[in-house]
Amino acid sequence: MTSISASTVYNASGSRPLLIVCEHASNFVPEKLQQLGLTLDELSRHIAFDLGALDVAKGLAEAIDAPLVHSNISRLVIDLNRSPDDFDSIPQIGELTPVPGNIGLNQGDRDMRVHEYYQPFHSAVSDLIFKRRDLRAIVSVHSFTPVFKSGRRPWHLGIIHDEDVAFPLNTS
């Protein structure tokens, strides 16, 4: 059985005081979860990961010399961008596709996913923040599907930020 770390730290010693995070970088499902009952075609869609986001995140990390923490598991295993207590942190439906391996999970199964995937990913992020006291901003990289649940989205790009609208990083 193949074992995989929940996350990878890339360019940890990057010189910029910015942390890049990519929570939906992978469509990997551990063998013990039996593809969550999905086909490889289904796991290659946006329901399982943000297509292209890892390439963008790595390119950005290299271009500006910043550290990156990215996931190595599918958001269908557990969504690292949500609290484990959120009802959809382990989605039973990905857009319009039922996820059989996530239906009817008991608390022990949910706790295993939090322990093996969610906590290690967030520990990697926290550890890097603790080691790099100079970090001034966190950028989370995601990709976008123009059609979601059969509806066409009107946007081409989205930027979500906290209340502070001034990005305090000098990129020169």
Side-chain angles (χ1 to χ4, degrees), residues 28-29 32 35 50 56 69 72 79 81 85 91 100 102 106 113 122 135 164:
F28 178 79
V29 176
K32 68 182 175 183
Q35 291 182 204
D50 284 351
V56 170
V69 178
N72 293 323
D79 192 332
N81 196 35
D85 298 329
N102 289 348
N106 63 41
R113 293 190 195 185
H122 285 277
L135 294 176
D164 184 2

Coordinates of all heavy atoms in Angstrom, one line a residue, residues 28-29 32 35 50 56 69 72 79 81 85 91 100 102 106 113 122 135 164:
F28 N -4.9 13.1 -5.7 CA -4.5 11.8 -5.1 C -5.5 11.4 -4.0 O -5.8 12.2 -3.1 CB -3.1 11.9 -4.6 CG -2.7 10.6 -4.0 CD1 -2.2 9.5 -4.8 CD2 -2.7 10.4 -2.6 CE1 -1.8 8.3 -4.2 CE2 -2.3 9.2 -2.0 CZ -1.9 8.2 -2.8
V29 N -5.9 10.1 -4.1 CA -6.7 9.5 -3.1 C -5.9 8.3 -2.6 O -5.6 7.4 -3.4 CB -8.1 9.1 -3.6 CG1 -8.9 8.3 -2.6 CG2 -8.9 10.3 -4.1
K32 N -6.1 3.0 0.4 CA -7.1 2.5 1.4 C -8.5 3.1 1.3 O -9.5 2.5 1.8 CB -6.6 2.7 2.8 CG -6.5 4.1 3.3 CD -5.9 4.1 4.7 CE -5.7 5.5 5.3 NZ -5.1 5.5 6.6
Q35 N -10.3 5.0 -4.2 CA -10.7 6.1 -5.1 C -12.1 6.7 -4.7 O -12.7 7.3 -5.5 CB -10.8 5.5 -6.5 CG -9.5 5.2 -7.2 CD -9.6 4.7 -8.6 OE1 -8.7 4.0 -9.0 NE2 -10.7 5.1 -9.3
D50 N -7.9 21.5 -7.9 CA -7.9 22.7 -8.7 C -6.9 22.5 -9.8 O -5.7 22.7 -9.6 CB -7.6 23.9 -7.9 CG -8.7 24.4 -7.0 OD1 -9.9 23.9 -7.2 OD2 -8.5 25.3 -6.2
V56 N 0.8 26.9 -11.2 CA 0.8 28.3 -10.9 C 1.5 28.6 -9.6 O 2.3 29.6 -9.5 CB -0.7 28.9 -11.0 CG1 -0.7 30.3 -10.5 CG2 -1.3 28.8 -12.4
V69 N 3.5 25.9 0.5 CA 3.0 24.6 1.1 C 1.9 24.2 0.3 O 0.9 24.9 0.1 CB 2.6 24.8 2.6 CG1 2.1 23.4 3.1 CG2 3.7 25.3 3.5
N72 N -1.1 17.2 -1.0 CA -0.8 16.0 -1.8 C -2.0 15.0 -1.8 O -1.8 13.9 -2.3 CB 0.4 15.2 -1.2 CG 1.7 16.0 -1.4 OD1 1.9 16.7 -2.3 ND2 2.6 16.0 -0.4
D79 N -11.4 18.5 2.7 CA -11.1 19.8 2.1 C -10.2 20.6 3.1 O -10.7 20.9 4.2 CB -12.4 20.5 1.8 CG -12.1 21.8 0.9 OD1 -11.0 22.4 1.0 OD2 -13.0 22.2 0.2
N81 N -9.2 23.5 3.0 CA -9.6 24.9 3.0 C -10.8 25.1 3.8 O -11.4 26.2 3.8 CB -9.8 25.3 1.5 CG -9.8 26.8 1.4 OD1 -9.1 27.5 2.1 ND2 -10.6 27.3 0.5
D85 N -14.9 20.6 11.0 CA -16.3 20.6 11.6 C -17.4 21.1 10.6 O -18.5 20.9 10.8 CB -16.4 21.5 12.8 CG -15.5 21.0 13.9 OD1 -15.3 19.8 14.0 OD2 -15.0 21.9 14.7
P91 N -16.9 16.1 1.4 CA -18.1 16.2 0.6 C -18.7 14.9 0.1 O -18.0 14.0 -0.3 CB -17.7 17.1 -0.6 CG -16.2 16.8 -0.7 CD -15.7 16.6 0.7
P100 N -19.3 8.2 -3.4 CA -19.7 7.1 -2.6 C -18.9 6.8 -1.4 O -19.4 6.5 -0.3 CB -19.6 5.9 -3.6 CG -19.8 6.5 -4.9 CD -19.1 7.8 -4.8
N102 N -17.6 8.8 0.6 CA -17.8 9.8 1.6 C -19.2 9.8 2.2 O -19.5 10.6 3.1 CB -17.5 11.2 1.1 CG -16.1 11.5 0.8 OD1 -15.2 10.7 1.2 ND2 -15.8 12.5 0.1
N106 N -18.6 7.2 9.5 CA -18.8 7.3 10.9 C -17.7 8.3 11.5 O -16.8 8.7 10.8 CB -18.7 6.0 11.6 CG -17.3 5.3 11.4 OD1 -16.3 5.9 11.5 ND2 -17.4 4.0 11.2
R113 N -9.3 10.9 8.9 CA -8.9 11.8 7.8 C -8.4 13.1 8.4 O -7.5 13.7 7.8 CB -10.1 12.1 6.9 CG -10.5 10.8 6.1 CD -11.5 11.1 5.0 NE -12.1 9.9 4.5 CZ -12.9 9.9 3.5 NH1 -13.2 11.0 2.8 NH2 -13.4 8.7 3.0
H122 N -2.0 21.4 8.0 CA -2.0 22.7 8.7 C -0.9 22.8 9.7 O -0.4 23.9 9.9 CB -3.4 22.8 9.4 CG -4.5 23.2 8.4 ND1 -4.7 24.4 8.0 CD2 -5.3 22.4 7.7 CE1 -5.6 24.5 7.1 NE2 -6.0 23.2 6.9
L135 N 7.3 36.5 7.8 CA 6.2 36.4 6.8 C 5.2 37.5 7.1 O 4.7 37.7 8.2 CB 5.6 35.0 6.8 CG 6.4 33.9 6.4 CD1 5.7 32.6 6.6 CD2 6.9 34.1 4.9
D164 N -8.0 44.1 5.2 CA -6.8 44.9 4.8 C -6.7 44.9 3.3 O -6.2 43.9 2.8 CB -5.5 44.4 5.5 CG -4.3 45.3 5.2 OD1 -4.5 46.4 4.5 OD2 -3.2 45.0 5.7

